[in-house]
Amino acid sequence: GQADLVGNVWEWTLDFYADPFAQATCTDGADLTSGGIRSIRGGTCFDDASFMAVSYRHNYGQSGHSPLFGVRCARTP
């Protein structure tokens, strides 16, 4: 089971950001086309609850950094 997936730090995702969501360029659920701007998800403890909805994502340049950004390591079962 998954727990505590939001509210700690903004998490970088593999997806490049597209608005609206990319439809035709998805590979295994991720948009891997080179867009230069990655999606981040999850929100932080400083954000209100609307940022923590599973459907919410934001964009940030790949060279950006902040103590409020992190990663979640995942593996294929």
Side-chain angles (χ1 to χ4, degrees):
Q2 298 292 323
D4 299 324
L5 294 177
V6 298
N8 185 15
V9 294
W10 283 102
E11 296 177 0
W12 288 106
T13 67
L14 182 61
D15 290 349
F16 282 97
Y17 185 83
D19 189 23
F21 281 110
Q23 299 296 317
T25 57
C26 238
T27 304
D28 292 329
D31 180 9
L32 303 177
T33 58
S34 181
I37 299 175
R38 294 277 184 186
S39 291
I40 55 176
R41 292 179 176 263
T44 72
C45 59
F46 301 111
D47 297 315
D48 84 26
S50 66
F51 292 106
M52 297 177 201
V54 295
S55 60
Y56 186 83
R57 82 242 196 285
H58 194 59
N59 60 69
Y60 209 85
Q62 291 184 131
S63 61
H65 56 85
S66 166
L68 300 177
F69 292 168
V71 296
R72 180 177 303 276
C73 295
R75 65 178 175 83
T76 303

